Amino acid sequence: MIAIALAAAILVRLVAPTAALAHGPVNPAATSYLATVDGTPAGLRAAVVDGDQRLWLQADPGHTVLVIDYRGAPYLRFSARGVAVNHNSAMYYTNQVPAEQAPAGLGASTEPNWAVVTTGHGYSWHDGRLHALATIALTPGSNYVGTWRIPLRVDGRPAAVSGALRHAPNPSLVWFWPILVAVACVLAGLRLREAVLDRRLARALALLAIVAVAVAGTGEEFHGRPGVSAGQYVLVGVIGAFVAWGLSRLARGQDGWFGYFLIALAAIWEGASLVGVLTHGFVLIALPATVARVAVVTCLAAGAALLPVIFRLAEWPERGRIAQPAGATAGEDEAWDHEL
């Protein structure tokens, strides 16, 4: 049952991004550039989503707000009826999945062709103006890149959402060393070919992997865009079920190699999906940067180090159960059987 839940979670992670965005990283865990909102007109709320990729805007129903595109034409309209997108905006075509070439001649004077996209009053979209300054050279010793501005018309009056763009240097590559060290240490331990040591290595690595998956996975799913969706809560539930299953197996002393394989697979998958926190300066998931990096490193290190132990366990009889050591005394026999 847990294998089905794990497969379903991986399938959701694989399918969801294909429908999410046309530009930039899809649901990034980290970024080198971070855009923040500094100014918003009265009656509006705004937030940057996924570092510097999308802007989320919410308008009170009593206001009519137009978001102006790159060519000066209205792109979005917020009103009491909801949010509508202008199909005669060049930005509408560039934000398609995949991006499309806008028809020639679209501009501020083109008659809008509105289509309602939601009856709610909040909406997010990719806007290249948030990170347009990311290509310029930074002043040495400074993380401030510059300001950005999204022009609006609020109830017919010119307005704007504005903010700043900042840069953070990439973390040190030293974060990857624990992964190599863990694998090297496990391979050295396996050379001893001691059954008890193999089993204890498997249990310790599995426990580390389970805890790391719980921390990293929960932090990833509780990262709102701008809020936490029902699907994210479902995935948190799947993670919780997986953690409970893994801990119960360890508590009962169930040491079949396939169970360890599922734990290793989950840890490597979670670590790989969040590996950006080890290569980019700003961490976006709902965890402090250091905690996120430690959790991701632990996922990758424990998952990768567990794989050679799994291969060793699979060599033992009875589908991965460790055989009794030769020459064991009667008391040792009983203790060994109890551990299994």
Side-chain angles (χ1 to χ4, degrees):
M1 196 67 186
I2 193 66
I4 297 175
L6 179 60
I10 292 175
L11 182 62
V12 169
R13 292 272 182 88
L14 286 172
V15 172
T18 62
L21 292 175
H23 305 273
V26 177
N27 294 348
T31 180
S32 295
Y33 291 88
L34 184 67
T36 55
V37 176
D38 294 335
T40 306
L44 279 67
R45 287 158 294 282
V48 177
V49 180
D50 292 337
D52 62 348
Q53 293 301 304
R54 291 185 290 164
L55 183 69
W56 172 83
L57 186 66
Q58 185 180 63
D60 291 342
H63 296 288
T64 298
V65 180
L66 298 179
V67 177
I68 308 303
D69 71 6
Y70 310 130
R71 299 184 184 180
Y75 169 53
L76 296 171
R77 181 181 66 192
F78 294 74
S79 66
R81 298 178 59 186
V83 183
V85 62
N86 178 16
H87 288 191
N88 283 341
S89 164
M91 201 167 173
Y92 166 76
Y93 292 92
T94 59
N95 279 353
Q96 293 302 297
V97 183
E100 300 177 7
Q101 182 67 38
L106 292 183
S109 60
T110 306
E111 183 71 21
N113 178 18
W114 296 109
V116 175
V117 291
T118 176
T119 56
H121 302 288
Y123 191 73
S124 67
W125 70 96
H126 175 269
D127 201 307
R129 291 167 289 196
L130 295 171
H131 52 261
L133 295 176
T135 58
I136 70 171
L138 290 172
T139 302
S142 173
N143 71 341
Y144 180 77
V145 180
T147 60
W148 54 266
R149 183 176 182 275
I150 310 297
L152 310 172
R153 292 192 68 86
V154 180
D155 298 328
R157 297 185 299 274
V161 176
S162 59
L165 183 68
R166 290 177 171 81
H167 174 268
N170 296 335
S172 171
L173 292 177
V174 171
W175 281 102
F176 287 93
W177 274 105
I179 303 170
L180 301 177
V181 172
V183 174
C185 290
V186 167
L187 291 177
L190 291 177
R191 289 177 62 87
L192 300 176
R193 301 194 68 83
E194 294 185 4
V196 174
L197 178 61
D198 294 347
R199 181 172 182 270
R200 288 174 178 172
L201 278 175
R203 290 173 62 83
L205 291 170
L207 180 60
L208 284 175
I210 291 169
V211 173
V213 167
V215 174
T218 303
E220 180 181 14
E221 298 309 329
F222 280 152
H223 170 44
R225 296 181 171 89
V228 178
S229 68
Q232 288 173 276
Y233 281 112
V234 170
L235 285 175
V236 169
V238 172
I239 293 170
F242 169 78
V243 170
W245 166 81
L247 293 177
S248 67
R249 282 184 62 88
L250 295 181
R252 295 196 302 268
Q254 295 177 326
D255 293 302
W257 68 267
F258 186 68
Y260 284 127
F261 174 74
L262 290 179
I263 293 172
L265 177 64
I268 293 172
W269 172 264
E270 191 62 46
S273 69
L274 297 178
V275 73
V277 306
L278 304 180
T279 59
H280 294 81
F282 290 113
V283 172
L284 300 179
I285 65 175
L287 290 172
T290 300
V291 174
R293 291 180 178 126
V294 170
V296 170
V297 166
T298 305
C299 280
L300 294 174
L306 191 54
L307 290 178
V309 183
I310 293 169
F311 297 146
R312 173 63 57 81
L313 294 179
E315 296 175 359
W316 298 105
E318 297 183 25
R319 300 179 64 181
R321 295 174 66 88
I322 297 176
Q324 173 183 312
T329 65
E332 290 173 336
D333 292 347
E334 183 178 350
W336 184 266
D337 291 339
H338 176 71
E339 286 192 2
L340 289 176

